[in-house]
Amino acid sequence: MKILLYNPDNGVTRNFMPHLWMFLLQALTPPGHEVSLVDGNARAMTEDELVRFVRAEGIELVGIGAMTRMVARAYRVADALRAAGVRVVMGGPHVTECPDEALGRDGGPRHADAVALGEADETWPLIVADAARGELKEVYQPERDAKGLDRKPSLQPYPEIPWETLALDQFSLVPGFLRPLLGRMGGGWGTFHVVPIETGRGCPYGCEFCTVTGFFGDSIRFRTNESVVNELLRLKERARRERGQVAVFFIDDNLAINIKRTKQLLRDIIDAGAQIPWVAQISANLLRDEELVDLIAASGGKWVFIGMESIDPANMADVNKNFSKPGEYGAVLERLARRNVYAITSFIFGMDNDTPGVAERTLKEINSWPPGLPVFGQLTPFPATPLYERLEKAGRLTRPKHWLDFAPFVMAHTPLHMTIEEARLETRHAWEVSYSPERNAEAVEYLRDKHIQYRLSHLVSRLFFRGIYFPQMGKRAWLKVIYQNRKTINGLIREGASTWRAARRRQKQLAAAPPMTDAR
Ligand code: B12
Ligand code: SF4
């Protein structure tokens, strides 16, 4: 049977990396079936184009996965495919939280033939087998334990995702028109892939707005260090063979949740020579440990994603994230920066203690820290979270099914001390200031004592991150951004060229020097 796994585009801008679930389910598909992948963020297709593609390829089963914010688009695609006679299975966090919506059991239209609830590692092979026999059931769910909870799949053993042979063309981050030029630079930059890898699942913290503790559970399951290290080695080999670049996003919700285990994993990566530039999510409280930060840097860690959420401790208490202390954010970032590791700092506006001016206050604080990549979102009640329940009970949801009329950066409830429109404007202001050409120049200047590679990597990351808020998908948009930042770019190019010439001169002098002879 031919199967397509489809991830809808997120409606704002392109994601910078593919979604792990597609590769994982592909690897878990029983033999005898052919699985292709389309990520709408990387390979945009209209509903009609997808239907034509599915017909032309003779695909009989389509699996669609979606976060809440993409689910309306996922439903439209599913409707078009089902109308064309193709069976659709949906899975992922949103349909797990709202299965009746996908199956049309809530009075609305039906979008999926079947839904896979929760983690699908063990149910996916059953779904494929049932579909091949023409006996697809409506609901697939992991087995239950004695307490009636989903039995979570073990990550030992973990399937081998064949990264070294997978076609990753649709996911290269280098814009097509720059590939020939960049392919000739340094070790080869013609392709650049950010690959998702998980080393564990689950989170015990239970922040109010988050679905993770409910979905993956509050106890953590880890892969073996060996299987993670092998995956890194295979990726490293691929990058070498292609003369391209690969970086890894460890998508664990908190890579350092068990510090002892994380330190051992990082030591194993170092011992095996499996270092690849990596990014991971780690909460600020765990980054107090100097040895951990040393190991992060030595094992290839370049950026740490920190869910800072708010600089106001009252907000942190409101969302049950008291373990993260705004007062120590600056020190944490200094500790990382001393090792040339920088942070993607994530903030949420529209919390109950926020008032107009929250963006300016947050920006002032951010500017007192080493430069990073701040990202700004708004408090969003995702279904089945404690936040959703609290706001629903209080009658505060203005759009209880906000995902069915998804509007980027427009809140679905009114914060206590500001309006929805004010929250939208605060968010816009924060993005505008943080990624302005002036701020980009300041960030690069702050790093003037560092090797040029850090300043270059910082600037390039800034130009990409700007695109999370301001769509910049085509050549024109990119050229505009490059033009706006031309002073900083030119400065770095000039410095890069003189560093390169100096290195060449040194090499020539060394080659011309008489060989050292043994004086005995
Ligand atoms: C990596 C990640 C990202 C990446 C991007 C996604 C990517 N390219 O991988 C980044 C950092 C960009 C990101 C951004 C955001 N993210 Co995010 N992200 C994650 C994270 C940490 C890991 C995702 C992952 O790969 N998990 C591991 C895989 C194996 O799990 P899985 O995807 O759930 O898949 C399993 C099952 O769900 C199921 N399954 C999934 N799909 C399908 C499909 C079929 C057909 C079947 C049968 C089964 C199936 O099978 C899989 C194996 O068991 C999750 C949290 C988490 N731990 O999952 C949050 C999470 C998905 N993100 C979330 C959110 C809210 C966001 C943002 C909206 C945050 C924000 N405010 O900006 C943005 C939006 C991104 C965008 N523009 O689209 C929420 C989604 C909640 C929801 N109900 O939608 C999550 C769950 C975290 C949370 N706080 O609750 N994210
Ligand atoms: S926000 Fe992060 S720390 Fe909090 S429950 Fe979710 S995954 Fe855990």
Side-chain angles (χ1 to χ4, degrees):
M1 183 172 60
K2 282 191 165 183
I3 303 168
L4 170 69
L5 297 179
Y6 175 75
N7 196 86
D9 58 276
N10 63 44
V12 180
T13 186
R14 291 185 176 173
N15 272 341
F16 60 90
M17 71 166 178
H19 288 257
L20 179 60
W21 73 265
M22 308 172 88
F23 299 99
L24 199 57
L25 295 194
Q26 187 182 38
L28 289 165
T29 305
H33 305 281
E34 197 182 316
V35 183
S36 45
L37 312 181
V38 171
D39 186 330
N41 295 298
R43 190 173 169 191
M45 282 198 212
T46 62
E47 280 106 71
D48 287 348
E49 282 166 347
L50 258 167
V51 169
R52 279 201 294 278
F53 174 80
V54 163
R55 282 205 174 120
E57 296 289 320
I59 287 163
E60 293 171 68
L61 178 71
V62 178
I64 304 181
M67 292 188 208
T68 295
R69 66 186 289 151
M70 304 152 192
V71 83
R73 165 89 172 119
Y75 290 154
R76 286 198 297 278
V77 168
D79 295 347
L81 290 167
R82 292 181 75 238
V86 182
R87 286 165 303 168
V88 172
V89 186
M90 295 187 76
H94 186 81
V95 297
T96 300
E97 287 137 18
C98 307
D100 290 347
E101 184 179 275
L103 291 171
R105 290 170 171 179
D106 65 348
R110 180 172 186 157
H111 306 288
D113 295 283
V115 291
L117 307 186
E119 295 176 55
D121 309 54
E122 283 162 10
T123 47
W124 176 245
L126 306 176
I127 296 173
V128 173
D130 285 358
R133 281 199 313 275
E135 291 173 11
L136 201 56
K137 298 184 191 68
E138 281 198 336
V139 179
Y140 290 84
Q141 192 163 12
E143 283 172 20
R144 297 297 177 94
D145 64 16
K147 288 190 201 144
L149 301 171
D150 280 5
R151 209 165 50 78
K152 305 286 179 198
S154 159
L155 301 186
Q156 300 185 13
Y158 191 79
E160 194 163 290
I161 300 176
W163 292 116
E164 61 277 31
T165 51
L166 283 177
L168 292 176
D169 296 350
Q170 62 177 311
F171 302 114
S172 179
L173 281 173
V174 177
F177 71 101
L178 286 176
R179 284 180 198 169
L181 176 72
L182 294 182
R184 293 195 293 270
M185 274 180 65
W189 278 86
T191 60
F192 178 32
H193 295 111
V194 180
V195 168
I197 292 188
E198 61 181 339
T199 80
R201 288 187 196 163
C203 179
Y205 286 144
C207 303
E208 194 196 29
F209 52 79
C210 180
T211 64
V212 169
T213 306
F215 189 93
F216 290 99
D218 57 5
S219 66
I220 302 146
R221 290 152 284 147
F222 294 117
R223 288 170 66 179
T224 62
N225 290 357
E226 192 189 359
S227 94
V228 177
V229 169
N230 284 342
E231 196 167 351
L232 291 172
L233 286 172
R234 290 186 290 115
L235 276 169
K236 201 168 172 176
E237 170 55 23
R238 176 179 181 143
R240 197 194 55 77
R241 208 178 55 233
E242 282 185 345
R243 287 182 57 77
Q245 305 292 326
V246 176
V248 161
F249 191 136
F250 287 118
I251 54 97
D252 304 38
D253 292 293
N254 203 337
L255 184 72
I257 191 72
N258 177 333
I259 290 205
K260 198 169 156 214
R261 169 262 173 191
T262 309
K263 286 182 179 174
Q264 193 50 49
L265 172 64
L266 301 182
R267 283 190 201 104
D268 289 354
I269 291 174
I270 297 165
D271 291 348
Q275 292 99 325
I276 289 185
W278 62 258
V279 186
Q281 309 186 86
I282 303 180
S283 53
N285 56 320
L286 301 175
L287 291 164
R288 292 174 194 141
D289 187 315
E290 299 278 346
E291 188 189 25
L292 175 70
V293 184
D294 279 341
L295 286 166
I296 289 174
S299 61
K302 300 289 176 220
W303 294 92
V304 176
F305 184 109
I306 307 178
M308 294 190 166
E309 327 304 7
S310 174
I311 54 164
D312 178 350
N315 276 332
M316 299 303 274
D318 267 358
V319 296
N320 198 29
K321 198 160 181 174
N322 250 338
F323 61 87
S324 187
K325 308 281 179 217
E328 69 174 344
Y329 290 165
V332 162
L333 300 188
E334 295 282 355
R335 191 170 299 127
L336 290 170
R338 281 199 292 278
R339 278 93 168 171
N340 296 319
V341 179
Y342 295 92
I344 301 163
T345 51
S346 166
F347 296 92
I348 298 177
F349 291 155
M351 290 195 176
D352 277 351
N353 210 41
D354 279 346
T355 52
V358 60
E360 221 18 78
R361 289 191 294 276
T362 310
L363 289 168
K364 198 168 159 228
E365 192 79 7
I366 292 174
N367 278 356
S368 69
W369 302 334
L373 300 170
V375 293
F376 307 92
Q378 291 156 335
L379 191 62
T380 307
F382 289 111
T385 55
L387 173 69
Y388 193 97
E389 280 162 31
R390 170 164 71 90
L391 294 172
E392 192 178 37
K393 267 196 203 131
R396 289 180 58 195
L397 294 173
T398 48
R399 291 186 298 138
K401 292 203 172 191
H402 52 90
W403 50 92
L404 295 181
D405 61 356
F406 174 67
F409 301 105
V410 178
M411 290 181 67
H413 71 282
T414 310
L416 288 182
H417 303 301
M418 60 203 290
T419 64
I420 291 177
E421 179 57 7
E422 280 167 342
R424 190 184 70 79
L425 292 173
E426 294 288 333
T427 312
R428 185 174 181 82
H429 179 65
W431 278 99
E432 256 167 7
V433 172
S434 296
Y435 292 92
S436 64
E438 297 74 34
R439 183 65 196 131
N440 291 344
E442 278 166 24
V444 171
E445 174 58 18
Y446 185 101
L447 301 173
R448 63 187 170 279
D449 297 334
K450 305 278 183 188
H451 189 277
I452 182 170
Q453 81 185 60
Y454 296 110
R455 269 167 291 150
L456 206 56
S457 135
H458 211 95
L459 181 66
V460 171
S461 307
R462 288 189 146 262
L463 300 187
F464 271 105
F465 265 61
R466 186 189 172 280
I468 298 175
Y469 188 89
F470 301 101
Q472 72 193 27
M473 294 206 249
K475 189 173 168 177
R476 266 173 78 94
W478 268 101
L479 289 174
K480 191 172 161 203
V481 173
I482 290 171
Y483 181 75
Q484 286 169 339
N485 289 277
R486 62 190 180 285
K487 269 194 190 155
T488 314
I489 296 173
N490 284 341
L492 285 177
I493 290 176
R494 273 198 304 274
E495 189 189 330
S498 71
T499 312
W500 181 75
R501 277 196 300 270
R504 290 262 303 192
R505 261 198 311 276
R506 259 198 315 277
Q507 262 175 3
K508 277 190 186 155
Q509 281 161 359
L510 279 175
M516 298 277 281
T517 49
D518 192 335
R520 274 175 304 174

